Amino acid sequence: MSLLIAGLILWTLAHYFKRLMPVQRAALGNAGKALVAVALIGSVALMVMGYRAADVIPLWYPPSFMVHINNTLMLLAFWVYGSGAAKGAKVWPGYKMRHPQLIGFKIWALAHLLVNGDLASVLLFGGLLGWAVGEVILINKSEPDWTPSEPAGAQGYIRHAIISAVIFAVVVAVHIWLGVWPFPL
């Protein structure tokens, strides 16, 4: 469990560095980007190793119908996350909200909390949800001004729907490859 917690702490500190210590981060220049990237890769490695090695300590037993809610929320998470990724015009809700990628990340974390009732999952997904909430607060505080994007046309929606479906299929395949069946039995 200590690797998982260390990974969460490193992930949070690497992301918050720019917001909490902007002068020090700016002084590092491009080397700071590389440092943050290495810290993030290390944090993901620590979280994965820590999560996979953690003992299963059940806190609750989610009902089986939560799998349907999880899968629906995952589709929504990919849609919302991706709605903020396009340059220029964005699909809904990317042109309506300031942080669609962080909102999509929060939906992802919440969806995983609904179907995983063990301590390691609560630490991992709850910790990442907490990080995303804090990130939104810090961004809004340090950069209070925001200008909404223009809405995308029909082609943007079609492209985004295809990309979201492909990403969902890839994530399902990765879960199956890792031995986690993501659908109800």
Side-chain angles (χ1 to χ4, degrees), residues 62-148:
S64 61
F65 71 85
M66 284 296 184
V67 174
H68 297 292
I69 294 171
N70 170 272
N71 289 339
T72 304
L73 286 174
M74 289 307 302
L75 279 170
L76 178 64
F78 294 138
W79 179 271
V80 173
Y81 186 94
S83 74
K87 302 287 184 213
K90 299 185 186 317
V91 300
W92 179 92
Y95 65 88
K96 291 267 192 194
M97 61 176 53
R98 182 169 184 180
H99 307 289
Q101 290 181 312
L102 285 167
I103 300 295
F105 194 92
K106 289 182 210 177
I107 295 168
W108 168 85
L110 177 64
H112 281 77
L113 283 170
L114 292 177
V115 293
N116 294 288
D118 62 291
L119 180 60
S121 295
V122 170
L123 287 173
L124 177 61
F125 302 117
L128 290 172
L129 178 59
W131 159 78
V133 169
E135 188 75 15
V136 168
I137 292 167
L138 289 173
I139 291 170
N140 289 345
K141 187 176 180 181
S142 67
E143 302 169 16
D145 297 327
W146 174 67
T147 304

Side-chain angles (χ1 to χ4, degrees), residues 1-16 40 42-44 46-48 105 119-131:
M1 208 72 74
S2 59
L3 288 178
L4 172 59
I5 293 168
L8 284 165
I9 291 169
L10 184 57
W11 172 273
T12 302
L13 292 176
H15 277 93
Y16 286 1
L40 291 175
S43 71
V44 170
L46 288 170
M47 286 187 282
V48 169
F105 194 92
L119 180 60
S121 295
V122 170
L123 287 173
L124 177 61
F125 302 117
L128 290 172
L129 178 59
W131 159 78

Side-chain angles (χ1 to χ4, degrees), residues 159-175:
R159 182 174 46 252
H160 188 60
I162 291 168
I163 290 169
S164 296
V166 167
I167 290 172
F168 182 80
V170 168
V171 168
V172 165
V174 168
H175 278 73

